[in-house]
Structures are given as C-alpha cells and as structure tokens.
Amino acid sequence: MTKCKLEYIWLDGYQPTQTLRSKTKIEDDFSGKLEDAKVWSFDGSSTEQADGGSSDLLLKPVYIVPDPGRIGTGFLVMCEVLNSDGTPHRTNGRSTIHDDDNDFWFGFEQEYTLWNPETDKPLGFPSEGYPGPQGPYYCSVGGGRAVGREVVEEHLELCLQAGLNVEGINAEVMMGQWEFQIFAKGAKEAGDQIWIARYLLDRTAENHGLSINYEPKPVKGDWNGSGMHANFSNTTLRTCGSQDVYEAICQAFEPRIKEHIDVYGADNDQRLTGLHETQSIDKFSYGVSDRGASIRIPIGTVESGWKGWLEDRRPASNADPYMVASAIIATVKSAAVPA
C-alpha cells in the first residue's frame, strides 16, 4: 500500500487577521480526488475558534491539489471550518460567497514582503538605516536590487507543480517586496488557490530561514505598502459593451465604503493614504487607467468596447480573498444596471 500524506489546511480564529493552520493525515492508497478526502476534526480551543469545554470543530475538504514539496505522495487539502453540527463556523469566510454557477471570475495580485527575522526588516534592508529610495526595485534584475529571487522562483515552481493557475510574478516597488498573480473562474476557487499559494510561500520561507510579511504597510515612511488588488468580472462586465453599465456598477461601490474596508485587511489605513498609488481609505473614486483610484477601469476593457473587468485596488495584502470576493459580489449584484 502507498502511504499518502494529506495536509489539511484551514484558517484560524485570530483577529483582526486570520492565519493559516495545517496538520497531516496519513491515508493508504488515497485517490487524490476531493470526494475521497474525509471530514476531519481539530481542537478549536487552540485556534481561538472554540472553548475548551466544547472544542471539537470539523474540517470539510473543499479544494485539493498535489503537494510538490514533500517526498512521496502528498496532497494539499484546503478546508472550510464547520461547527460540530455541520454548519459553517463564524470564521468561515468562504461560506459567505454567493457566486451562482461560478459566474464571477477573480484575478488576485498578491503582494508580500520577504522578511529577515535577524534584522526585523525586509530582506535586503541594511541592519541600520535604509537602502536607496524606491525606483530601481520594481521589476528589477541584478544584485542589490532584486533580492530573494531564489525564494520567489522556488515558490513559483511549487505553485505550478501543484497545478495552481499562477499567471505571473514580479519584484515590487519596495526592496524585498514581490508579487504573484492568480486567476480562477469562480470566486471560491480563486480564494482557495490564493490561500494554498500563501501556504506554499510560508513553507518555502521556512526553508530559507525567512518569514513572509503580509502587513499592508511593512515599513513606515516613503515606501509603498502591500496590497492584494482584486480584478473581477461577471457575465455582464464581460459582455455588456456599455460604458453606462460599467459606471453604474462602479457607482454601486461608493455608498458601501465601510462594508468593503471592514473586510479589506487590518491596518489598511496605513496604506490607503492617497499616496503611493492609492486612494484615501475614506474616499471613493473610479477612473480609466487610474492607479490612484479606488477602482481602476483597465484600458484593455475600454479598448475592447467596454467588455472586460474591473480592478478594486483597495484590498490589503493581509485581506482574506474569500471575504473580499464576497463583498465585491454583493455590491455588483446590488448595482442598478441600466437595461
């Protein structure tokens, strides 16, 4: 019999930012199919999700991919957390997504910072002071500019071997800051893939004696923050061919600023200041090719005759993609779209 390692992955109950947890289940001759991954349990009292007197919570497998980082046969199993009666736990953001027939497509641009625990600064920053100002680091090549590439490349290869739909990577504006992009047809799957990619990133950093910083403003001052821009579309946005429809959908976001900011990541006020390619956290704007707007209308959408997608630039790097998608879907569905 082949011994298979199934890594069950879930989100804990820590606030204001949930973190990943995982544990390994050994199965004999596992098929690799989601329907054959069993519901498992864990101690919710150790993850801020239950009290000790009634601590058993359930892990319901919802997405599975091969685990390329282990010797032998292994799988990464993304799970929803359920109460003992099978209902969604209060920390289960995935269960709040109402995406009928996977009509919504999402592309998340996940920024992050490689973090040196010895200096408690981004990788590449000197132990005292700062590197040269921003400018040469974005999409950079070469020593002293692109730092940590070996970690980034290893992570990319793991994601591709796992079958995740990574569409690209690049060095970002601050030294030690990088980004990967993932696209999926269906909001839940987009969130699943981002969380598994984050898991693989954290595990890769472990191997290099580093950690991953997802804070939206990891370095104070004149340095870019880290976001998780959410590119999204549904059938209407992909096919309408109407500027009026696009503007109606964008305008539906304005009265719902709080609903979005509440789930767009902790400490996002430090990033959404109106500087460094952001709009202020308490304001809303949209515009074609405007990276200083809350929502950018890509020029490709306009050139395609108003058929395409929108980009919400406000989500922070530490936001839960499930909750981001849930909020965006609810707002788009609320729009008074002209006939």
Side-chain angles (χ1 to χ4, degrees), residues 80-259:
E80 286 190 15
V81 176
L82 306 180
N83 297 309
S84 58
D85 63 0
T87 59
H89 190 267
R90 56 179 172 76
T91 60
N92 184 343
R94 190 180 190 273
S95 68
T96 70
I97 294 174
H98 300 292
D99 182 12
D100 305 328
D101 301 320
N102 291 332
D103 184 48
F104 282 82
W105 300 356
F106 276 86
F108 288 109
E109 302 173 33
Q110 176 69 68
E111 295 178 340
Y112 61 92
T113 305
L114 296 172
W115 203 257
N116 185 345
E118 294 184 359
T119 62
D120 196 30
K121 290 184 175 182
L123 189 66
F125 273 51
S127 56
E128 300 293 335
Y130 298 91
Q134 295 182 154
Y137 310 121
Y138 173 70
C139 293
S140 59
V141 177
R145 294 186 297 276
V147 297
R149 189 183 294 277
E150 66 279 6
V151 180
V152 175
E153 291 288 342
E154 184 178 330
H155 172 247
L156 173 61
E157 186 59 30
L158 287 171
C159 288
L160 293 176
Q161 288 182 21
L164 301 182
N165 191 39
V166 178
E167 295 205 324
I169 61 171
N170 59 269
E172 267 300 334
V173 177
M174 183 178 71
M175 176 181 275
Q177 184 186 50
W178 292 78
E179 173 184 299
F180 63 85
Q181 305 99 33
I182 281 182
F183 168 78
K185 295 180 179 180
K188 290 181 178 180
E189 182 174 338
D192 296 337
Q193 291 204 29
I194 284 289
W195 277 117
I196 289 179
R198 285 183 181 180
Y199 174 82
L200 288 171
L201 182 58
D202 286 336
R203 206 166 76 182
T204 302
E206 281 182 28
N207 295 336
H208 291 268
L210 301 172
S211 61
I212 303 300
N213 188 315
Y214 293 103
E215 295 176 21
K217 190 70 173 179
V219 181
K220 306 299 185 287
D222 192 20
W223 300 93
N224 269 39
S226 296
M228 186 184 65
H229 303 155
N231 298 274
F232 62 93
S233 70
N234 63 354
T235 299
T236 297
L237 289 168
R238 291 189 292 269
T239 63
C240 69
S242 168
Q243 180 176 350
D244 290 342
V245 168
Y246 266 81
E247 291 187 349
I249 290 174
C250 288
Q251 289 162 10
F253 282 79
E254 186 165 10
R256 299 167 66 100
I257 293 175
K258 184 179 186 303
E259 288 89 339

Side-chain angles (χ1 to χ4, degrees), residues 269-288:
D269 58 312
Q270 298 177 25
R271 168 180 162 263
L272 297 181
T273 61
L275 303 173
H276 303 108
E277 299 179 312
T278 70
Q279 176 57 279
S280 297
I281 195 168
D282 58 346
K283 296 180 180 177
F284 178 83
S285 64
Y286 65 91
V288 175

